[in-house]
Amino acid sequence: MGSQARVGIVGASGYGGIQLVRLLTEHPNVDLVFLGGEGSAGKAMSEIYPHLHHRGMGDIELVNLEEIAQRAEIVFLALPNGLAVKMAPELVEKGCKVLDLSADYRFSDLSTYTQWYRTTHPRPEVAEQAVYGLPELYRDRISSAQLIGCPGCYPTASLLALAPLLKQGLIQPESAIIDAKSGTSGGGRQGKLNLLHAEAEGTLGAYGVARHRHTPEIEQICSRLAGNEIMVQFTPHLVPMTRGILSTVYATLRDPGLVTEDLLTIFNVFYRHAPWVQILPSGVYPQTKWAWGTNLCYIGIEVDQRTGRVVVMSAIDNLMKGQAGQAVQCLNLMMGWPEDLGLPKLSFYP
Amino acid sequence: MGSQARVGIVGASGYGGIQLVRLLTEHPNVDLVFLGGEGSAGKAMSEIYPHLHHRGMGDIELVNLEEIAQRAEIVFLALPNGLAVKMAPELVEKGCKVLDLSADYRFSDLSTYTQWYRTTHPRPEVAEQAVYGLPELYRDRISSAQLIGCPGCYPTASLLALAPLLKQGLIQPESAIIDAKSGTSGGGRQGKLNLLHAEAEGTLGAYGVARHRHTPEIEQICSRLAGNEIMVQFTPHLVPMTRGILSTVYATLRDPGLVTEDLLTIFNVFYRHAPWVQILPSGVYPQTKWAWGTNLCYIGIEVDQRTGRVVVMSAIDNLMKGQAGQAVQCLNLMMGWPEDLGLPKLSFYP
Amino acid sequence: MGSQARVGIVGASGYGGIQLVRLLTEHPNVDLVFLGGEGSAGKAMSEIYPHLHHRGMGDIELVNLEEIAQRAEIVFLALPNGLAVKMAPELVEKGCKVLDLSADYRFSDLSTYTQWYRTTHPRPEVAEQAVYGLPELYRDRISSAQLIGCPGCYPTASLLALAPLLKQGLIQPESAIIDAKSGTSGGGRQGKLNLLHAEAEGTLGAYGVARHRHTPEIEQICSRLAGNEIMVQFTPHLVPMTRGILSTVYATLRDPGLVTEDLLTIFNVFYRHAPWVQILPSGVYPQTKWAWGTNLCYIGIEVDQRTGRVVVMSAIDNLMKGQAGQAVQCLNLMMGWPEDLGLPKLSFYP
Amino acid sequence: MGSQARVGIVGASGYGGIQLVRLLTEHPNVDLVFLGGEGSAGKAMSEIYPHLHHRGMGDIELVNLEEIAQRAEIVFLALPNGLAVKMAPELVEKGCKVLDLSADYRFSDLSTYTQWYRTTHPRPEVAEQAVYGLPELYRDRISSAQLIGCPGCYPTASLLALAPLLKQGLIQPESAIIDAKSGTSGGGRQGKLNLLHAEAEGTLGAYGVARHRHTPEIEQICSRLAGNEIMVQFTPHLVPMTRGILSTVYATLRDPGLVTEDLLTIFNVFYRHAPWVQILPSGVYPQTKWAWGTNLCYIGIEVDQRTGRVVVMSAIDNLMKGQAGQAVQCLNLMMGWPEDLGLPKLSFYP
């Protein structure tokens, strides 16, 4: 076999799927050999996404794990929560590397998963091998993993903002409040009334307050970083834009003498090997549009010396670093390729 | 004096001005007798706002305080900060009731005003008579005032969310964090690059972190409510929508046994005489669009029993309850009219 | 009979319905006595539209024509096409005045209706009594009608732009090209993928080219105005905004010597008794936002002397003058009330 | 000289400039050696566009033609109209290839330019050598040109829709009506009130009716294609989106027997060597978002057999195929590189 890795996507017709199709089509080391779906099986990709008309993507095929495993050595699962638990174990056993974009393999504590997602793992021993696919924290483990549970969009933005603070013990852990704002593509490609343009345009509101499922995912990683179990306050909001997440994170500093420049230094050091994290200069705060279409996470920091708190703002493209781009970043690590291979670095602007 | 109150507006061409023009034109007890401006003087209102073509608003006149005081008994000042300090004292002395929409008369502690706005009051004794125009807190004082400093848009949304909590001593005062989000009309009608559609559409970011001028305004009133000096954390964001402010307020409860229903009851009692505050039922969180074009403030509440915090979300139209509508509400009180006279109650939707 | 007219709405939960609820609640001569629906029956209006929480609208009731006719003397039908043909005849026979917002009663030539909508009229003799509810053209007939087929949104904007030209024989009739652009609320409150915010934001496209159902409706009235059967070119587009329709109409002038001022005069005379049509001055072209929330139609005109064509631009709020507002305007005429009673005249801006 | 072409940009801080910076930075055959500006000189690119922070673009330098010509062999001018006439001749004489993005070198008939733009050419003999940079029509001439006048955004979309029809004599030439719609970035990065987000969001309107400067540019090329002088009707509209142009073109067919499939075939043949034009299948109409961030022009076609007209819809990204992308496409041709080198082919979606 040649130098190209053979890759398949299950769930190619959703927003996660179409991002993967785009990224993997342009990835220099990848040969995209399988596009799978359920309801969309039998349709040409260009029927669902007519802008692909000129790219001759071929048809979406009905999912058959046996055949996928024969054709592809790597499989991305871009499905609703609760479906990967049935597919991933079989694919792993047949020798595929699997990157799951759902919540199914994000939790090392499976009881937390079951409690918040009301799904059980038929093969818990497989779930326990899965690695949380946040490369900035788990680069080494991802490199040698066979099964990746790719992070949620909110957790990605929130954890990149919090990780240096928790890891270095700079904040009172339970003081962390995450006020997160997402574009509407985060709701997926489904005909829900609250996601209609006429409902979502020109308005803003919170949802899932004190009970959004990304809360335990954030807490799991924060607890690992802090070294003990901690809880965070997490509130998501829906913003009238298609893409982007901004997390505004508040936390009380343990040492009130720290100033903005101190934290900028700490963040820069913490992320010195992370090609996809950009710490902004003092006084510059990230706009979600800067990350649009790229795998970047922009981070701005401000210490409020009056109140003794730090405010960290992180901006990502929810479908890229928040989903498909990060999965490809994990793929690069798993294959020993450069971490930034095939991923867009420079946003369009405006 | 006839049955109609004679009202003038100085600064009719800005976004605050045009809201006042709209509201006062349709107010049953008002006769709009003067539209004043500087750069726009001599222009017809319908040149600046062509949708007014059919309403024959007449021309904007150059500001002449002598003449304004002769023609109007009530004057709204809708000018940039720092100009009202020169005009209001003279108008007050000539017997006019004055409602100032700028920051000039919002501060009882003038040194705070001078420190944050870098302007001094030439007539501090006039400033000391001014009443902070938030009717839900200062209904009685407004009723008998001659000079009103109308609140800022962010403080209005934030204070209505915090007032019952602070007044009843339900939260640890310094735990209050206000994550506020505003539409772009809050930036006013000026050709700034960051307010361009091409810059502001499809993006979201924070600004003025730890140093926005609405911080001391919020703290002044919070301190009065709490009975001692307190500081709050306040972060404004710019959202890609024209109108609306959402304040998401976080605070730690003193009594961790309180549940959402307890706080809903307390808020409903606190605002039982407030026609413009609407407490939403449990589990319902406000959308800014619900308040669009009305003077309403919608408030949703959620207690997070895991963390011991309360999350209060308040939504207003930044140009109505956050600016011109609230000023008209104050006018109603000053004139002894019903508090809801001439103000829209029912939003368009969607 | 008391002083208030008793009015019912069937189909209160859709976008047409909620506009009617808003307008009729605030209409001084109307008592809203019935809100009916199918799927939404049993729900409180404020469950579907939480911004109505403070207005105590009561519940949506299951539709029962017998009971509606007992309680209401006037009934608005705001239903998908094809349902009113079953309800309207019975309501008319029971003595109700009926205003239908669907396409069912817009066609005097029922075969055209059947051909384009694939529905037949079980009671064609009722359909033949129906009056096309465009007051600017059929004021007298509407005043004495018992059954109104309210115009579509695109036809309203397009016909108001074309009527003076065709009626006065100023253009070559078959030269008329209507390039129309609509906001997304025109698609209704239904979970269709192309109406999702993430799909509709930041983009623009045509649809139904050469086959949209509003074509025969426009042609029917144009033919009456011209005095002979004519065809028009009509292309609708979906624009990333919630409300508003702009029709840009092109036609070749019969007399190439006419200038813009001539046509402005002709339009002003034609609409001199029409309180809801506003002809803009020379050089001013309408913005849809100017009509937002009002029942106004703004019209701008430009003659291109190089090409011998006239360009007429008309802007409406598709849910107001394009739907519910116009229905209330018809109600006013049917009841002998002032044509502008209870309808908003002044948009919010910006 | 190495294998990389040395390229400079004058006017790097505007929207055209930043697109060029993005494209040329990622172009495999280009070495970007000079970023020039006037007001922005001395600033780092990342001060103006903070999302470039991680790319170390260096500073914008004051424009000095002597020095530019020494450092760069190719110069892009991305300046307001009327400035290139002063710079381009000197750069050409010093041996640079020049691509001008303004209107200055688009006209072969200089009197037309002077009449519509009120600027004269100090060096008309240079202007006469300039080639109109629309590769789909003038590929050969561009390949050997030293000075390119890059087309306007509206002309690009409109001419690609009209060219096959005029070239093949399929339509009555003077029947052509172009109803064009543009996103707000077309207005440039300048603080004009009508371009403010609060003014431009949620609304739609025409401007420059019968007098927009792109009219003579379109007519010049249409006349060449038709073989005689013709006039077209052109109406631009501003749409509430950042990027994108849709041109909806109407024309009367000479042979009313032609059907949609005939024209699809003709267009596919006409553009068979054009990598950046995509003819959509029957019944599919372009969305501007499909072209977002790419150099593609999507074209949909519908013949209306009832009226004998053809409707052609073309969608581009106004800043890419409509401006900077097309200039790079021209560069590729001038340098003998593949026409699609270094240009994005696959949009993000949604």
Side-chain angles (χ1 to χ4, degrees):
Chain A
M1 215 208 68
S3 58
Q4 297 296 91
R6 288 170 290 111
V7 175
I9 300 170
V10 177
S13 68
Y15 287 151
I18 185 66
Q19 310 308 309
L20 286 172
V21 167
R22 183 190 183 285
L23 291 172
L24 295 172
T25 298
E26 306 211 328
H27 195 292
N29 289 12
V30 164
D31 194 7
L32 196 51
V33 298
F34 184 87
L35 300 178
E38 291 287 335
S40 55
K43 285 192 186 171
M45 273 304 280
S46 61
E47 276 181 82
I48 303 172
Y49 292 107
H51 70 290
L52 297 179
H53 172 61
H54 60 301
R55 299 302 297 259
M57 291 291 176
D59 294 351
I60 297 183
E61 302 179 47
L62 202 62
V63 175
N64 176 321
L65 296 186
E66 189 77 37
E67 197 183 321
I68 295 172
Q70 278 178 7
R71 281 154 65 181
E73 55 199 300
I74 299 148
V75 182
F76 289 81
L77 302 177
L79 297 165
N81 297 324
L83 297 180
V85 294
K86 294 163 194 152
M87 296 186 188
E90 189 176 333
L91 289 167
V92 165
E93 271 169 20
K94 290 181 194 303
C96 292
K97 289 180 193 289
V98 176
L99 297 108
D100 177 33
L101 277 66
S102 83
D104 288 7
Y105 290 98
R106 293 175 190 162
F107 291 87
S108 51
D109 178 352
L110 300 189
S111 67
T112 303
Y113 170 72
T114 296
Q115 178 191 338
W116 286 78
Y117 287 87
R118 303 209 176 126
T119 307
T120 52
H121 269 283
R123 301 278 302 276
E125 77 284 5
V126 175
E128 275 153 19
Q129 298 167 26
V131 174
Y132 190 70
L134 190 60
E136 288 73 16
L137 297 184
Y138 304 110
R139 191 168 281 111
D140 292 344
R141 294 193 56 207
I142 292 166
S143 300
S144 59
Q146 203 188 348
L147 172 56
I148 302 284
C150 295
C153 50
Y154 287 124
T156 296
S158 304
L159 291 168
L160 293 175
L162 274 167
L165 300 174
L166 288 167
K167 186 75 178 176
Q168 310 294 353
L170 299 171
I171 56 170
Q172 297 175 12
E174 301 246 328
S175 72
I177 290 178
I178 302 162
D179 190 281
K181 301 94 174 169
S182 173
T184 58
S185 62
R189 197 170 199 239
Q190 50 177 329
K192 290 170 70 176
L193 289 188
N194 69 317
L195 296 177
L196 286 179
H197 183 273
E199 301 279 326
E201 195 220 6
T203 194
L204 179 76
Y207 66 100
V209 183
R211 63 176 172 274
H212 191 280
R213 287 168 163 182
H214 283 175
T215 309
E217 183 182 336
I218 297 169
E219 288 179 345
Q220 167 185 259
I221 309 300
C222 285
S223 297
R224 285 190 213 162
L225 290 161
N228 58 309
E229 290 294 311
I230 62 169
M231 283 188 298
V232 298
Q233 192 74 46
F234 170 66
T235 310
H237 298 74
L238 197 63
V239 178
M241 60 189 189
T242 298
R243 284 165 175 252
I245 282 182
L246 184 78
S247 274
T248 310
V249 178
Y250 302 88
T252 302
L253 290 167
R254 277 195 170 126
D255 175 353
L258 288 173
V259 297
T260 299
E261 298 296 339
D262 297 326
L263 290 187
L264 288 171
T265 301
I266 290 165
F267 272 66
N268 272 308
V269 170
F270 190 91
Y271 289 120
R272 68 191 178 283
H273 298 310
W276 294 114
V277 177
Q278 290 300 322
I279 311 302
L280 293 162
S282 179
V284 180
Y285 311 133
Q287 289 283 334
T288 56
K289 188 146 76 168
W290 298 349
W292 212 102
T294 80
N295 199 47
L296 289 164
C297 176
Y298 286 95
I299 293 180
I301 302 171
E302 190 73 46
V303 170
D304 188 342
Q305 296 193 266
R306 296 167 69 255
T307 63
R309 288 198 192 88
V310 61
V311 184
V312 185
M313 293 142 283
S314 59
I316 60 170
D317 181 329
N318 60 308
L319 299 179
M320 292 292 288
K321 182 63 178 167
Q323 191 186 40
Q326 182 149 270
V328 173
Q329 185 183 354
C330 288
L331 170 69
N332 287 341
L333 290 172
M334 292 165 89
M335 302 300 287
W337 301 332
E339 194 171 337
D340 60 353
L341 193 70
L343 285 167
K345 293 175 187 62
L346 200 41
S347 175
F348 294 90
Y349 194 88
Chain B
M1 196 196 79
S3 58
Q4 297 296 92
R6 289 170 290 109
V7 175
I9 301 170
V10 178
S13 68
Y15 287 151
I18 185 65
Q19 309 309 308
L20 286 171
V21 166
R22 183 190 183 284
L23 291 172
L24 295 172
T25 299
E26 304 212 329
H27 195 292
N29 289 11
V30 164
D31 193 7
L32 197 49
V33 298
F34 184 88
L35 301 177
E38 291 288 333
S40 55
K43 284 194 187 170
M45 273 302 281
S46 61
E47 275 182 83
I48 303 171
Y49 294 106
H51 70 289
L52 297 178
H53 172 61
H54 60 300
R55 299 301 297 258
M57 292 291 178
D59 295 352
I60 297 182
E61 302 179 48
L62 203 61
V63 175
N64 176 321
L65 296 185
E66 189 77 39
E67 196 182 323
I68 294 171
Q70 278 177 8
R71 280 155 64 181
E73 55 199 302
I74 300 148
V75 182
F76 289 81
L77 302 177
L79 298 164
N81 296 324
L83 297 180
V85 294
K86 295 163 194 151
M87 296 185 188
E90 189 175 334
L91 288 167
V92 165
E93 271 169 19
K94 291 183 194 298
C96 292
K97 289 179 194 290
V98 176
L99 298 107
D100 177 33
L101 276 66
S102 84
D104 288 7
Y105 290 98
R106 293 176 189 161
F107 291 87
S108 51
D109 177 352
L110 300 189
S111 67
T112 302
Y113 170 72
T114 297
Q115 177 192 338
W116 286 77
Y117 287 88
R118 303 207 176 127
T119 308
T120 52
H121 270 283
R123 301 278 302 277
E125 77 284 5
V126 175
E128 277 154 17
Q129 299 166 26
V131 174
Y132 190 70
L134 191 59
E136 287 73 16
L137 298 183
Y138 303 111
R139 192 168 280 112
D140 290 345
R141 294 192 57 206
I142 292 166
S143 300
S144 59
Q146 204 189 349
L147 171 57
I148 302 285
C150 295
C153 50
Y154 286 124
T156 296
S158 306
L159 291 168
L160 293 176
L162 274 168
L165 300 173
L166 288 166
K167 186 74 178 178
Q168 310 295 351
L170 299 171
I171 57 170
Q172 296 175 13
E174 301 246 328
S175 71
I177 291 177
I178 302 163
D179 190 280
K181 300 95 175 168
S182 173
T184 58
S185 63
R189 196 169 199 241
Q190 50 178 330
K192 291 170 69 176
L193 290 187
N194 68 318
L195 296 178
L196 286 179
H197 184 273
E199 301 279 327
E201 196 221 6
T203 194
L204 179 76
Y207 65 99
V209 184
R211 63 176 170 276
H212 192 279
R213 287 166 164 185
H214 283 175
T215 309
E217 184 182 336
I218 296 170
E219 289 179 344
Q220 168 186 256
I221 309 300
C222 283
S223 297
R224 285 192 212 161
L225 289 162
N228 58 309
E229 290 294 311
I230 62 170
M231 283 187 298
V232 299
Q233 192 74 46
F234 170 66
T235 309
H237 298 74
L238 197 63
V239 178
M241 61 188 187
T242 298
R243 285 165 175 250
I245 282 181
L246 184 79
S247 273
T248 310
V249 177
Y250 302 88
T252 302
L253 290 168
R254 277 195 170 127
D255 175 353
L258 287 174
V259 297
T260 300
E261 297 297 338
D262 296 327
L263 291 187
L264 288 171
T265 302
I266 290 165
F267 272 67
N268 271 308
V269 169
F270 190 90
Y271 289 120
R272 67 191 178 283
H273 299 308
W276 293 114
V277 177
Q278 290 299 323
I279 311 302
L280 293 162
S282 179
V284 181
Y285 311 134
Q287 289 282 334
T288 56
K289 188 145 77 169
W290 298 349
W292 213 101
T294 80
N295 199 48
L296 288 165
C297 176
Y298 286 93
I299 293 181
I301 302 171
E302 190 73 44
V303 170
D304 188 341
Q305 294 192 269
R306 289 171 7 104
T307 63
R309 287 197 194 88
V310 61
V311 185
V312 185
M313 294 141 283
S314 60
I316 61 171
D317 181 328
N318 60 309
L319 298 178
M320 292 290 289
K321 182 62 179 167
Q323 191 185 40
Q326 183 150 270
V328 173
Q329 186 183 354
C330 288
L331 170 70
N332 286 341
L333 291 172
M334 293 165 89
M335 302 300 286
W337 302 332
E339 194 171 336
D340 60 353
L341 193 70
L343 286 166
K345 292 173 189 64
L346 200 42
S347 175
F348 294 90
Y349 195 88
Chain C
M1 197 197 80
S3 57
Q4 297 296 92
R6 290 170 288 111
V7 175
I9 300 169
V10 177
S13 68
Y15 286 152
I18 185 65
Q19 310 309 308
L20 286 172
V21 166
R22 184 190 182 285
L23 292 172
L24 295 173
T25 299
E26 305 212 328
H27 195 292
N29 289 12
V30 164
D31 194 6
L32 196 50
V33 297
F34 183 88
L35 301 178
E38 292 286 335
S40 56
K43 283 191 186 170
M45 273 303 281
S46 61
E47 275 181 81
I48 303 171
Y49 293 107
H51 70 290
L52 297 179
H53 172 61
H54 61 301
R55 300 301 298 257
M57 290 291 176
D59 295 352
I60 298 183
E61 301 179 47
L62 202 62
V63 175
N64 176 321
L65 297 185
E66 189 77 38
E67 196 182 322
I68 295 172
Q70 278 178 9
R71 281 153 65 180
E73 55 199 301
I74 299 149
V75 182
F76 289 81
L77 301 177
L79 298 164
N81 297 324
L83 297 180
V85 295
K86 294 161 193 154
M87 295 185 189
E90 189 176 333
L91 289 167
V92 166
E93 270 169 20
K94 290 183 194 301
C96 292
K97 289 180 194 289
V98 176
L99 298 107
D100 177 32
L101 277 67
S102 83
D104 287 7
Y105 290 97
R106 293 176 190 162
F107 291 87
S108 52
D109 178 351
L110 300 190
S111 67
T112 302
Y113 170 72
T114 297
Q115 177 192 338
W116 286 77
Y117 287 87
R118 304 210 175 128
T119 309
T120 52
H121 269 283
R123 300 279 302 275
E125 77 284 4
V126 175
E128 277 153 18
Q129 298 166 27
V131 173
Y132 190 71
L134 191 59
E136 287 74 16
L137 297 184
Y138 303 110
R139 192 168 280 112
D140 290 345
R141 293 192 57 205
I142 292 165
S143 300
S144 58
Q146 205 189 346
L147 172 56
I148 301 285
C150 295
C153 51
Y154 286 123
T156 296
S158 305
L159 291 169
L160 293 176
L162 275 168
L165 300 173
L166 288 166
K167 185 75 179 176
Q168 311 293 352
L170 298 170
I171 57 169
Q172 297 175 12
E174 300 246 328
S175 71
I177 291 178
I178 302 163
D179 190 280
K181 300 94 175 167
S182 173
T184 58
S185 63
R189 196 169 200 239
Q190 50 177 331
K192 290 170 69 176
L193 290 187
N194 69 318
L195 297 177
L196 285 180
H197 183 273
E199 302 278 326
E201 196 220 6
T203 194
L204 180 76
Y207 65 100
V209 183
R211 62 175 172 275
H212 192 280
R213 287 167 164 185
H214 283 174
T215 309
E217 185 183 335
I218 296 169
E219 289 180 345
Q220 167 185 258
I221 308 300
C222 284
S223 297
R224 284 191 213 162
L225 289 162
N228 58 308
E229 290 294 310
I230 62 169
M231 282 187 299
V232 299
Q233 192 75 45
F234 170 67
T235 309
H237 298 74
L238 196 64
V239 178
M241 60 188 187
T242 298
R243 285 165 175 250
I245 282 182
L246 184 78
S247 274
T248 310
V249 177
Y250 302 88
T252 302
L253 290 168
R254 279 198 169 123
D255 175 353
L258 287 173
V259 296
T260 300
E261 296 297 339
D262 297 327
L263 290 187
L264 288 171
T265 302
I266 290 165
F267 272 66
N268 271 308
V269 170
F270 190 89
Y271 288 120
R272 68 192 179 282
H273 299 310
W276 294 113
V277 177
Q278 289 300 323
I279 311 302
L280 293 161
S282 180
V284 180
Y285 312 132
Q287 289 282 334
T288 55
K289 188 145 78 167
W290 298 349
W292 212 101
T294 80
N295 199 47
L296 288 164
C297 177
Y298 285 95
I299 293 181
I301 302 171
E302 191 73 44
V303 169
D304 189 340
Q305 295 194 266
R306 296 168 69 255
T307 62
R309 288 198 193 87
V310 61
V311 185
V312 185
M313 293 143 283
S314 59
I316 61 170
D317 181 329
N318 61 309
L319 298 178
M320 292 291 288
K321 182 62 178 168
Q323 191 185 38
Q326 182 149 271
V328 173
Q329 186 183 352
C330 288
L331 170 71
N332 287 342
L333 291 172
M334 292 166 89
M335 302 300 286
W337 301 332
E339 194 171 336
D340 60 353
L341 193 70
L343 285 167
K345 293 174 187 62
L346 201 41
S347 176
F348 294 88
Y349 194 90
Chain D
M1 196 198 78
S3 58
Q4 297 294 92
R6 289 170 290 109
V7 175
I9 301 170
V10 178
S13 68
Y15 287 151
I18 185 65
Q19 309 310 308
L20 286 171
V21 166
R22 183 189 182 286
L23 292 172
L24 295 172
T25 299
E26 305 212 327
H27 195 291
N29 289 11
V30 163
D31 194 6
L32 197 50
V33 298
F34 183 88
L35 300 178
E38 291 289 334
S40 55
K43 284 193 186 170
M45 272 303 280
S46 61
E47 275 182 83
I48 303 171
Y49 293 106
H51 70 289
L52 298 178
H53 172 62
H54 60 301
R55 299 302 298 259
M57 292 290 178
D59 294 352
I60 297 183
E61 301 179 48
L62 202 61
V63 176
N64 175 321
L65 296 186
E66 190 76 38
E67 196 182 322
I68 295 172
Q70 279 177 9
R71 280 154 65 181
E73 54 199 302
I74 299 148
V75 182
F76 289 81
L77 302 177
L79 298 164
N81 297 324
L83 297 181
V85 294
K86 294 162 193 152
M87 296 186 187
E90 189 175 333
L91 289 167
V92 165
E93 272 169 18
K94 291 182 193 302
C96 293
K97 290 179 193 290
V98 175
L99 297 108
D100 176 32
L101 277 66
S102 84
D104 288 8
Y105 290 99
R106 294 176 189 161
F107 290 87
S108 52
D109 178 352
L110 300 189
S111 68
T112 303
Y113 170 72
T114 297
Q115 176 191 337
W116 286 77
Y117 287 88
R118 301 201 179 134
T119 307
T120 52
H121 269 283
R123 300 280 301 278
E125 77 285 6
V126 175
E128 277 154 18
Q129 299 167 27
V131 174
Y132 189 71
L134 190 59
E136 287 74 15
L137 298 184
Y138 302 111
R139 192 167 281 112
D140 291 345
R141 295 192 56 207
I142 292 166
S143 299
S144 59
Q146 203 188 350
L147 172 56
I148 301 286
C150 296
C153 50
Y154 287 124
T156 295
S158 304
L159 291 168
L160 292 176
L162 275 167
L165 300 174
L166 288 166
K167 186 73 178 176
Q168 310 294 352
L170 299 171
I171 57 169
Q172 297 174 16
E174 301 246 329
S175 71
I177 291 177
I178 302 162
D179 190 280
K181 300 94 175 166
S182 173
T184 58
S185 63
R189 196 170 199 240
Q190 50 177 330
K192 291 170 69 176
L193 290 188
N194 69 317
L195 296 177
L196 286 180
H197 183 273
E199 301 280 325
E201 195 220 8
T203 194
L204 179 77
Y207 65 99
V209 183
R211 62 176 172 276
H212 192 279
R213 288 166 163 184
H214 283 175
T215 309
E217 184 182 335
I218 297 169
E219 288 179 346
Q220 168 186 258
I221 308 300
C222 284
S223 297
R224 285 191 213 160
L225 289 162
N228 59 309
E229 290 294 311
I230 62 168
M231 282 188 298
V232 298
Q233 192 74 46
F234 171 66
T235 309
H237 298 75
L238 197 62
V239 178
M241 60 189 188
T242 298
R243 285 165 174 250
I245 282 181
L246 184 78
S247 273
T248 310
V249 177
Y250 302 88
T252 302
L253 290 168
R254 276 197 171 125
D255 175 353
L258 289 173
V259 296
T260 299
E261 297 297 339
D262 297 327
L263 291 186
L264 288 171
T265 301
I266 290 165
F267 272 66
N268 271 309
V269 170
F270 190 91
Y271 288 120
R272 68 191 178 281
H273 299 310
W276 295 113
V277 177
Q278 290 300 322
I279 311 302
L280 293 162
S282 179
V284 180
Y285 312 132
Q287 288 283 334
T288 56
K289 187 146 76 169
W290 297 349
W292 212 101
T294 81
N295 199 48
L296 289 165
C297 177
Y298 285 95
I299 293 181
I301 302 171
E302 190 73 45
V303 170
D304 189 341
Q305 295 193 266
R306 290 171 4 105
T307 62
R309 288 196 192 89
V310 60
V311 185
V312 185
M313 293 143 283
S314 59
I316 60 171
D317 181 329
N318 60 308
L319 299 178
M320 292 290 289
K321 181 63 178 167
Q323 191 185 40
Q326 184 150 268
V328 173
Q329 186 183 354
C330 288
L331 170 70
N332 286 342
L333 291 172
M334 293 166 88
M335 302 300 285
W337 302 332
E339 194 172 336
D340 60 353
L341 193 69
L343 285 167
K345 293 173 187 64
L346 200 42
S347 175
F348 294 89
Y349 194 89

